[in-house]
C-alpha cells in the first residue's frame, strides 16, 4: 500500500492486487474503519464529502 493523499485527519491509500487497485480512505468514520473506493476520483469525492479535500 502507498499513501497518495493526506490532509488533516483524512488519508487516501492505494493498494494493488491481481484484480486491480483499491483506494482506502481513512479518517471519515467515527469507528476509524476505512471506506473503500474503486477509483482515485471516487476516493477524493469521499474525502471531500468529509471535509478533507478541496
Amino acid at each position: 500500500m502507498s499513501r497518495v493523499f493526506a490532509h488533516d485527519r483524512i488519508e487516501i491509500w492505494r493498494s494493488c492486487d491481481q484484480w486491480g487497485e483499491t483506494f482506502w480512505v481513512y479518517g471519515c468514520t467515527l469507528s476509524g474503519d476505512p471506506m473503500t473506493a474503486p477509483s482515485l476520483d471516487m476516493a477524493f469525492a469521499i474525502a471531500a464529502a468529509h471535509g478533507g479535500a478541496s
Side-chain angles (χ1 to χ4, degrees):
M1 284 181 70
S2 59
R3 187 171 66 180
V4 296
F5 177 81
H7 184 277
D8 292 334
R9 69 183 197 288
I10 306 290
E11 291 186 354
I12 299 174
W13 289 76
R14 176 182 174 257
S15 67
C16 294
D17 57 28
Q18 63 266 31
W19 298 286
E21 59 187 7
T22 302
F23 294 89
W24 301 83
V25 185
Y26 289 86
C28 294
T29 63
L30 292 177
S31 67
D33 294 334
M35 299 177 78
T36 60
S39 71
L40 184 58
D41 287 339
M42 291 182 79
F44 273 116
I46 292 169
H50 290 86
S54 45

